[in-house]
Structures are given as C-alpha cells and as structure tokens.
C-alpha cells in the first residue's frame, strides 16, 4: 500500500474507499495503471470493508477474489470503493468497483469490478 | 513489474514463469507477501503465457482473473507459473500457480492459484 | 431453462430478470435450491442482459462467470436480476444478484451474486 | 443431480468424477450442453472431492466458484473431474475440469475449467 502511494480515503461500517494517484512506475506497457495495482487497491478496500464489520481483535485475510478489468485504466487518480454484500462470522463477501478520476474530479469512469471473499480470524 | 523486482525466468510456447524475491516493502500486515504482489506476478505470467501463443504484432490484455490465496505467502522467493489451457484467436484462458520457495530451493509450497482470461488485440 | 421451470420475467436494455419457482427436485441435500439451479438462472439472466444490448442477428455465449453463494437458498420462488456493467462490441460484463422470495413476496433475501463475461458472435 | 441424470463415477480421497450423458433437454440454444449443467456437475464434483477429505459427520457447502467455458459442449457424455488443491479445516479449494467424451470414448475434449472454495460444517 505504501509502496504504491495508496491511502484510505473513506471508512464506514461495511464501506471503504482507497485512492492511489497516477505514477508512471505503476503503469503497464500501454501507459495505463497496471492490473496488479488496480487489483491491490480493490483487494485492500475489500479487506478493510470486511474488517470494519468484524469484532474487535479480529484479523482479516483474503480467501479469493475475481476481478474484471473493464476499460483502460486512465486517470490522474484511482478510487476503489468496496461494499460488504454479506457479512458473516467466518466469511464476508465484498464487492468493489474501481474508478479512474479526471483532473477536475468531474468524472468517474468505472475501470474494474471485483467480487471477493474475506476470512475473519477471531481472537 | 520493475517496481516489485519481478523478472521472467522461463518462456516457452504457452508456459511462462515469473519470479520475485522477498522484500519487506512488499509485505502485508503479517509480514507475508501482499496478495496484490502475488496477483501481479500471477496475472503477468498469465498475460505472457497467452502472448507467447499469439501472432506477431499482437497485444495482450487481461479481461479478468480469479485467484485463490491458499496459504501464508512465506519464502525467500516467489514463483508464478502460468500455463495456457485454451488458446484462442480472441480469448485465451490461462491457469497459474504461485509457489513460495525456501532458501535452498529444495521446497516449493503452493500459495495461490489463478484462472484467468486474456484478450488478443490483433494488428 | 424449461427443464427447471424458469421464465423471463423482465427484459429491458441491459437488465433482465429470470424467475424459477421452488420444486423439490431442484434441491440439494439440505432441501435448499441447488447451487447448479441458482447458477443456471443467474448465468441465463446475464446472457440475456448482454444479448439485449447486442446488434440484431448476434449470438451470445458465456465466457466465464464467478458466483458467491451467500445464504441458504430458501424461498417459494427465486429471482435472478442481471445488469450489464460494461457493454462492448466483443465482450460484455454483467453482474447478477439472485434473491429468494417469501410467499407474500414481501421480502427478497439476497442468496447469491455473480460477475460474468459474455461474448458476442456477430453475424 | 438426479434430474439431469448425473452419477458419481469415481471417488478417491481428494478426487471425484461425475458423469452425465447427453440429453436434448439439457441443451442450450445451439444444441450443446447448457452451461448450467456443466457448472452443476463441476460444482458437485468439487463438493464431493472436498467432502472426501473432511472428518466424518461434516457437511459441505459451496462458498463460491468460477468457471471458464472453453469450447462448445459437444459429446455423448460429459465428465467432471475435481481435485482438491488445498484441503483445510474450514475451507477447501478445489479445481475441476469438465470434458466432452466421444462415442468410442477415445477422445476427451476439455470444455470447461472451474476453481472453487468449499466450506466444512463440523459436527
């Protein structure tokens, strides 16, 4: 997360947003944000969103996720918004959308969508 | 890829391996390799494996992938091995396994498995 | 579709709903609707939703889908609602939710969520 | 399973095969086996494969799965072969391939591949 300059920009029970600014060393061969970075912020947002509903002292692990890369990842900043669709004692299912933001933040373009499963390690 | 120190360690038609050495800035909260890094090398290996079977001048894009994170990502080095299971003119389906390697390389532990779809942009 | 008694209950551009009534021969070992039936109506709804945005004379094929089974599939009827999140000339990405309905239709419980990729065969 | 004429044809610890013969009422619009049926036998094989490694008295539930449909589902019989790639106390990860078989069983064509997560309910 630090390596790619990502930061938590919103935390509510069951909803988390993570943003990462564009950086040339985060791009793939066509100059767009690398799928690995998109996936990293989406997965992290899913993990935090699940974690936000877990009992104090719990830890969260990603079991699995699936991501569809929908459009070229263009933008000056990227936003992953995760929302829990099924909380659970052991497993929590989370959906995340990733958006590319324009300079004036006037437009959000959906560039990826994730559906994943998070595991709660109870203490 | 450069940012995380990954390199192509094997390229054959339909089979590609990528390795990344352990580095503390690539870890998550428990000191294991971050899921984002595991996913990045697995996705990149899938992309190159698909690309290795495409006509000259083509470009490859990830359509989607699903990854199961199977065990804590422990090791001094990590290896993603991707293999095409269905080549195609437009879409190629690839499976990848990611292993953690011990210091003496005597043991490979399976830490993640991916199933993904790659798109061929013809020239 | 006929075999399981499913029917299209809503068709709009990019949005399709399919319903299937409860039947004992569609259940698994615990008496709930079998995951295979849930998946079948979700996948069919995704296919029709993608198809609804394709040019006349096209055909649609499922490339892949991922489904999370969220709760026991209880209900007297089941509804799959699919919505296109990214239309495309070749590939269309669709999200579907499946709900269990109570006798008075007063309550919809989310029992499964799908994210899938559909392929357009042009004529 | 009964509805579609499927039967268990092989059970070993961690490996299960299920077969289903071709039937016209199991096909989609092009006369090939419906994706829902392919998915049903693959998911069932995954469930049984996971179950075969669980303690006596356990029950198994599908958490999620992802399937890639690779080729037209042609054949006189279809075989789903599931293999556990990571057993676990709570979660078991299973991979399954589905094959179409020709009349003389001389050839198996890979038509689908699944990667899924199964949950163990302990007694």
């Amino acid at each position: 997360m630090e390596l790619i300059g990502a930061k938590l920009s919103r935390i509510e029970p069951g909803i988390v947003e993570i943003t990462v600014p564009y950086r040339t060393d985060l791009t793939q061969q066509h100059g767009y944000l690398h799928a690995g970075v998109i996936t990293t912020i989406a997965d992290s947002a899913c993990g935090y969103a699940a974690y936000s509903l877990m009992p104090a002292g719990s830890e969260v692990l990603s079991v699995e996720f699936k991501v569809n890369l929908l459009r070229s990842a263009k933008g000056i900043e990227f936003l992953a918004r995760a929302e829990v669709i099924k909380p659970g004692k052991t497993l929590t299912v989370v959906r995340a959308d990733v958006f590319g933001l324009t300079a004036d933040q006037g437009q959000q373009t959906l560039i990826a969508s994730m559906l994943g499963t998070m595991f709660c390690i109870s203490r």
Side-chain angles (χ1 to χ4, degrees), chain A:
Chain A
M1 292 282 287
E2 276 177 41
L3 182 68
I4 58 173
K7 61 172 190 231
L8 278 162
S9 51
R10 179 180 170 196
I11 306 178
E12 290 176 35
I15 299 179
V16 163
E17 293 182 1
I18 290 178
T19 50
V20 61
Y22 177 86
R23 242 171 52 194
T24 53
D25 63 347
L26 302 180
T27 59
Q28 35 79 294
Q29 74 272 27
H30 307 103
Y32 303 128
L33 199 70
H34 195 286
V37 179
I38 297 170
T39 305
T40 298
I41 62 170
D43 171 46
S44 294
C46 286
Y48 281 110
Y51 183 70
S52 73
L53 298 179
M54 292 177 182
S58 303
E59 294 191 24
V60 63
L61 284 175
S62 297
V63 172
E64 60 81 37
F65 52 78
K66 190 252 198 182
V67 64
N68 271 79
L69 303 159
L70 304 172
R71 288 181 183 87
S72 300
K74 299 180 196 170
I76 60 148
E77 191 172 39
F78 300 91
L79 167 72
R81 177 182 299 135
E83 184 168 2
V84 170
I85 60 170
K86 170 65 175 66
K89 204 166 79 89
T90 308
L91 298 178
T92 293
V93 180
V94 191
R95 184 183 282 166
D97 288 326
V98 183
F99 301 89
L101 309 183
T102 52
D104 55 2
Q105 304 241 356
Q107 203 185 339
Q108 292 191 358
T109 305
L110 182 65
I111 57 172
S113 190
M114 179 179 279
L115 182 60
T117 310
M118 304 289 138
F119 191 90
C120 177
I121 306 175
S122 304
R123 280 301 159 97

